[in-house]
Amino acid sequence: MKATVSRSLIAAIALAAAAVAITMVATRTSGEAAQSSRMPDGKPNFNGVWQALNEANWDLQAHAARAGAVTQPGVYPYPYARVPAAPVLALGAAGGVPASVGVVSGDGQIPYTADAAAKKKDNAEHWIDRDPELKCYVPGTPRAMYLAYPFQIVQSTNTIHVDFAFANAARTIHLDAVDEPPADTATGFSRGTWEGDSLLVSTNELQGDWLDRAGNFYSETAHMVERFTPITADAIRYEVTIDDPNVFTQPWTISMPLYRRLESNAQLLEYPCVEFVEEFMYGDARKTQLVKHWEGDSIIVDITRRMRARPVGGAR
């Protein structure tokens, strides 16, 4: 009797496991990920909507959670006892910074020169005033790849086009020989080659830019080498080596996975942030300020702008 019950129980478990497996397969093949993992020419198929799932945009390096994106000294003079500064105080937990193990390869350190390290620290202390993300500027390479927004890859035999939700930005990776552009841009000029199943992308002609909200940065002399390597049909290993002798003592690398969005209706939707930052950027130009006071149930926020000097004729 016991043997019969045991065999019946085992059979029931096996049937349940098979049902779960069938459900998982059905789910896996129901969306965009059901497409072939290879292009007609045999190269990996990177077409689709992708997104990074990490804290790299907060800070590329490992860091503990902290109370706010902008903090000030608290009651005790210790780094862990800092409290949210006035601009983010009312955001509560939503204005905090999540912890991260970091994405910098090797020892996890960014090899700044002494002068550049001081500038990075100063950047962090003036985050609200300086971070290009807050102003909705076109995100630079590689930051656009790990902002907290999806992006879409459209792949052909001679170009790979990447569209970003943030700021409607885009970049093109050229697989054929083409002339370099006449001016530097935020995303730079990118040439791609295949090394087996890995796509190698060399990018220069960059404007100086920030790498994250912590103030890490590079200059206009930077050169990036990106490597896209498929892990599975729905994940890519993304690595970037950054070489900029004006800022760093040696090249260094970040590495992270990128994940395919598997919703059956996955698509790239715009995040038109230019219109969202009009008051932040230019509100002080109004004769009558629109945003200067907010009163909630538990806190009152008053804003006093520091008026900027304006060139004759209104030029910026």
Side-chain angles (χ1 to χ4, degrees), residues 284 308-316:
D284 63 321
R308 292 172 290 173
R310 301 189 183 281
V312 176
R316 292 185 180 273

Side-chain angles (χ1 to χ4, degrees), residues 237-279:
R237 172 62 57 185
Y238 178 66
E239 299 170 284
V240 191
T241 298
I242 303 172
D243 186 10
D244 186 352
N246 283 351
V247 179
F248 310 113
T249 59
Q250 63 186 41
W252 56 285
T253 301
I254 62 175
S255 177
M256 67 188 72
L258 304 173
Y259 300 98
R260 187 191 299 276
R261 295 288 294 262
L262 294 179
E263 300 92 333
S264 60
N265 61 343
Q267 57 185 296
L268 193 69
L269 302 176
E270 293 182 347
Y271 182 66
C273 52
V274 170
E275 58 200 73
F276 302 158
V277 299
E278 181 177 298
E279 286 301 319

Side-chain angles (χ1 to χ4, degrees), residues 163-250:
D163 285 313
F164 301 95
F166 186 85
N168 297 329
R171 65 182 292 208
T172 298
I173 300 169
H174 300 275
L175 303 180
D176 291 344
V178 295
D179 293 334
E180 293 187 0
D184 296 347
T185 62
T187 55
F189 176 74
S190 298
R191 288 189 176 95
T193 58
W194 289 99
E195 186 178 276
D197 280 350
S198 293
L199 174 66
L200 269 63
V201 181
S202 175
T203 300
N204 54 8
E205 306 294 333
L206 287 155
Q207 299 170 346
D209 214 331
W210 280 34
L211 288 159
D212 55 23
R213 295 176 179 174
N216 289 303
F217 73 102
Y218 57 84
S219 76
E220 67 279 357
T221 61
H223 175 232
M224 313 282 180
V225 176
E226 301 163 278
R227 180 184 289 266
F228 298 75
T229 305
I231 302 173
T232 68
D234 302 318
I236 296 171
R237 172 62 57 185
Y238 178 66
E239 299 170 284
V240 191
T241 298
I242 303 172
D243 186 10
D244 186 352
N246 283 351
V247 179
F248 310 113
T249 59
Q250 63 186 41

Side-chain angles (χ1 to χ4, degrees), residues 297-308:
D297 293 336
S298 60
I299 195 169
I300 296 173
V301 178
D302 285 297
I303 298 173
T304 301
R305 289 185 180 271
R306 181 182 292 114
M307 303 303 289
R308 292 172 290 173

Side-chain angles (χ1 to χ4, degrees), residues 31-110:
E32 185 177 8
Q35 66 184 7
S36 171
S37 61
R38 295 280 172 180
M39 297 290 285
D41 61 1
K43 302 300 184 186
N45 186 353
F46 293 149
N47 283 298
V49 179
W50 301 82
Q51 191 165 354
L53 299 176
N54 57 34
E55 302 76 32
N57 189 47
W58 287 104
D59 191 340
L60 293 175
Q61 295 181 273
H63 59 273
R66 59 181 184 270
V70 185
T71 60
Q72 65 185 47
V75 176
Y76 303 103
Y78 308 117
Y80 62 82
R82 293 176 68 88
V83 298
V88 298
L89 179 62
L91 296 177
V97 177
S100 173
V101 297
V103 297
V104 180
S105 301
D107 63 3
Q109 301 302 308
I110 298 176

